[in-house]
Amino acid sequence: MQKRLTMVRCSNRALDARARIPQLPLMTLPTNHPLRIVLNDEVHARTPEALSAPCRISYLAFKTDETSRGDIGRKVQELAERFGRPVPDDKATHYSENFGTFRFTYERHSEFSRFMVFTEGPNGELFGHPAIKALPEDWVAGLPGSLIVAANVELVRGADSLPDPDEISSRYFAGNVLVGASVASGAGRVFTDFRIHDDGFTRFLMQDISLTPRQAGRLAQRLLEVDSYRMMALLAFPVARDLSPFLSTCEAELARITAALVKPGDINEPELLERLTTLQAEIENRRSVSAYRFAAAAAYYDIVKHRIAELREGRIEGLQMFQEFTERRLEPAMSTCAAATARQESLSTRVAQATQLLSTKVDVTLEQQNQAVLASMDRRAQLQLRLQETVEGLSVAAITYYIVGLVGYGAKGLKTAELIPLNPEIVMGACIPIVAALVFWGTRRVKAHIAK
């Protein structure tokens, strides 16, 4: 008793000491980054619901585009208004609200949007009255987008002893082969067949052995995310399958072009270059269309593997675990997508190399043609130079002839006027070398001046 009183007094003294601590005023912080609050709240936006057995969950995921994402947001607002609950914002990417008889959550992702409905149960047969029946039927039927996943989850109390998988399969999964495991280090069990049943839903049966509510919520979220991201990853498989014949055709065309390049003799280089350019354009067009889908598939597959690892599976004798099912059923499809991506990249690189090789060959041919043209031009220039020199010689002779003629006329006039006693023919003959030399010197000076 004395010890207890001492502890109480110490506790009171501690409270008094804290009460005496002066409350410091809030500091004025610098201006926030525009996205600080949004980014900080993002990690808290999609926390799992706390679930207690018995419980029923219905899950819908829709493949959406920019238009249908906005339409789905308006449908969520419509549902909230119909039940008199708070209406989410137009740009909200997450909404969670208690509607009385059920709880409803909505999440928007880059390529799909998903809904979860939670109700208490089960009342009666498992999977006989799914949680989605709590929603208005006309509202569900009017949801936009393309349904990619629909799943019902039943969370029930489970016994410590292992159930009979064959009985579970025949009773709840139409006798299909089950995938199942103990999860959360033995705190629960999960069973599914990953098949779409007559009601349009896949089914998950969760048995709660010693799960906490938060564990149960995280487990349900991970299971549904495995199913969602598995389907989103598989969207790339038809693309890879359809791409294979196209790539085979392109590879055959590239082989024909490269075979023509190595054949001896003349080839129609412009035609081959046109074929290569067309081939490269077609490959790049397909590559631009499929690149995002293949990259998204790889990212979704990584998420699937991480979510399965978080289940912390333990084997139930006679059943495939989720990891084994994924490795055997999903990994081959993802390997096909990865092979299509690598094949497409390799083909694009080889076509680019062939185009570069042919372009180099065309450049060499053009260079040889240019050299031949230049040599021909050089020969023509030399001929023109010789012709010009010949014309210059003829020009000197013609000019000399006319100047000497003029001198002769002048000498004849002077002799007639008896101003000079010389014979005009002698004067003209004496002037010829002088005039020719002066004309030749003058033309050379003009030519030199023009060249300078």
Side-chain angles (χ1 to χ4, degrees), residues 252-281 350-362 365:
E253 173 67 4
L254 179 60
R256 287 190 292 269
I257 294 174
T258 52
L261 282 175
V262 299
K263 284 182 179 179
D266 295 336
I267 60 173
N268 191 344
E269 294 170 348
E271 179 188 352
L272 291 181
L273 188 59
E274 177 66 23
R275 289 168 60 185
L276 271 176
T277 303
T278 302
L279 182 62
Q280 190 166 20
R350 287 157 52 199
V351 171
Q353 291 174 345
T355 303
Q356 185 177 4
L357 177 63
L358 183 56
S359 298
T360 303
K361 190 176 181 64
V362 170
T365 303

Side-chain angles (χ1 to χ4, degrees), residues 211-253:
L211 293 170
T212 66
R214 289 294 178 186
Q215 275 184 311
R218 288 193 297 270
L219 177 59
Q221 186 180 55
R222 287 164 183 162
L223 289 172
L224 293 171
E225 286 181 348
V226 165
D227 204 20
S228 299
Y229 290 116
R230 174 180 68 92
M231 294 295 291
M232 293 300 295
L234 283 172
L235 286 176
F237 182 63
V239 178
R241 190 169 49 194
D242 295 340
L243 191 61
S244 182
F246 168 77
L247 294 177
S248 298
T249 302
C250 292
E251 288 170 344
E253 173 67 4

Side-chain angles (χ1 to χ4, degrees), residues 163-448:
D164 183 4
D166 293 334
E167 180 183 354
I168 292 176
S169 173
S170 61
R171 187 171 182 180
Y172 304 118
F173 295 94
N176 297 322
V177 177
L178 289 184
V179 176
S182 65
V183 292
S185 299
R189 300 189 193 98
V190 178
F191 303 91
T192 185
D193 57 357
F194 282 115
R195 293 183 180 272
I196 300 175
H197 290 258
D198 294 338
D199 58 357
F201 288 78
T202 55
R203 295 178 176 181
F204 292 89
L205 176 59
M206 295 173 50
Q207 292 184 340
D208 178 6
I209 300 173
S210 59
L211 293 170
T212 66
R214 289 294 178 186
Q215 275 184 311
R218 288 193 297 270
L219 177 59
Q221 186 180 55
R222 287 164 183 162
L223 289 172
L224 293 171
E225 286 181 348
V226 165
D227 204 20
S228 299
Y229 290 116
R230 174 180 68 92
M231 294 295 291
M232 293 300 295
L234 283 172
L235 286 176
F237 182 63
V239 178
R241 190 169 49 194
D242 295 340
L243 191 61
S244 182
F246 168 77
L247 294 177
S248 298
T249 302
C250 292
E251 288 170 344
E253 173 67 4
L254 179 60
R256 287 190 292 269
I257 294 174
T258 52
L261 282 175
V262 299
K263 284 182 179 179
D266 295 336
I267 60 173
N268 191 344
E269 294 170 348
E271 179 188 352
L272 291 181
L273 188 59
E274 177 66 23
R275 289 168 60 185
L276 271 176
T277 303
T278 302
L279 182 62
Q280 190 166 20
E282 292 175 352
I283 293 171
E284 290 303 319
N285 179 49
R286 286 295 189 97
R287 185 180 173 189
S288 63
V289 171
S290 61
Y292 174 77
R293 187 75 272 148
F294 289 149
Y300 290 139
Y301 183 47
D302 285 341
I303 295 176
V304 170
K305 292 189 290 186
H306 290 156
R307 294 296 182 270
I308 291 177
E310 291 170 353
L311 294 178
R312 291 178 292 161
E313 294 181 274
R315 180 173 296 280
I316 295 177
E317 191 64 32
L319 296 182
Q320 273 190 342
M321 296 193 299
F322 286 85
Q323 183 178 357
E324 292 174 338
F325 176 84
T326 301
E327 290 175 351
R328 294 182 182 181
R329 305 296 177 89
L330 183 58
E331 187 169 353
M334 294 299 98
S335 298
T336 300
C337 295
T341 302
R343 188 179 175 189
Q344 196 169 220
E345 296 285 342
S346 174
L347 182 59
S348 177
T349 302
R350 287 157 52 199
V351 171
Q353 291 174 345
T355 303
Q356 185 177 4
L357 177 63
L358 183 56
S359 298
T360 303
K361 190 176 181 64
V362 170
D363 290 341
V364 170
T365 303
L366 290 176
E367 185 67 25
Q368 292 173 347
Q369 293 175 352
N370 291 336
Q371 289 178 355
V373 170
L374 290 175
S376 176
M377 292 175 62
D378 186 53
R379 287 193 298 272
R380 285 198 298 270
Q382 291 178 358
L383 291 175
Q384 289 176 352
L385 180 60
R386 294 194 184 98
L387 180 60
Q388 182 180 355
E389 291 174 348
T390 303
V391 171
E392 287 177 357
L394 295 175
S395 299
V396 170
I399 294 172
T400 302
Y401 172 78
Y402 285 112
I403 292 177
V404 171
L406 292 176
V407 172
Y409 285 122
K412 289 179 180 180
L414 292 175
K415 183 179 181 182
T416 303
E418 297 181 351
L419 296 176
I420 60 172
L422 298 176
N423 190 344
E425 286 75 8
I426 296 175
V427 174
M428 292 172 64
C431 288
I432 289 174
I434 299 173
V435 172
L438 290 174
V439 170
F440 179 77
W441 177 79
T443 55
R444 299 291 291 182
R445 286 293 304 272
V446 171
K447 184 177 179 182

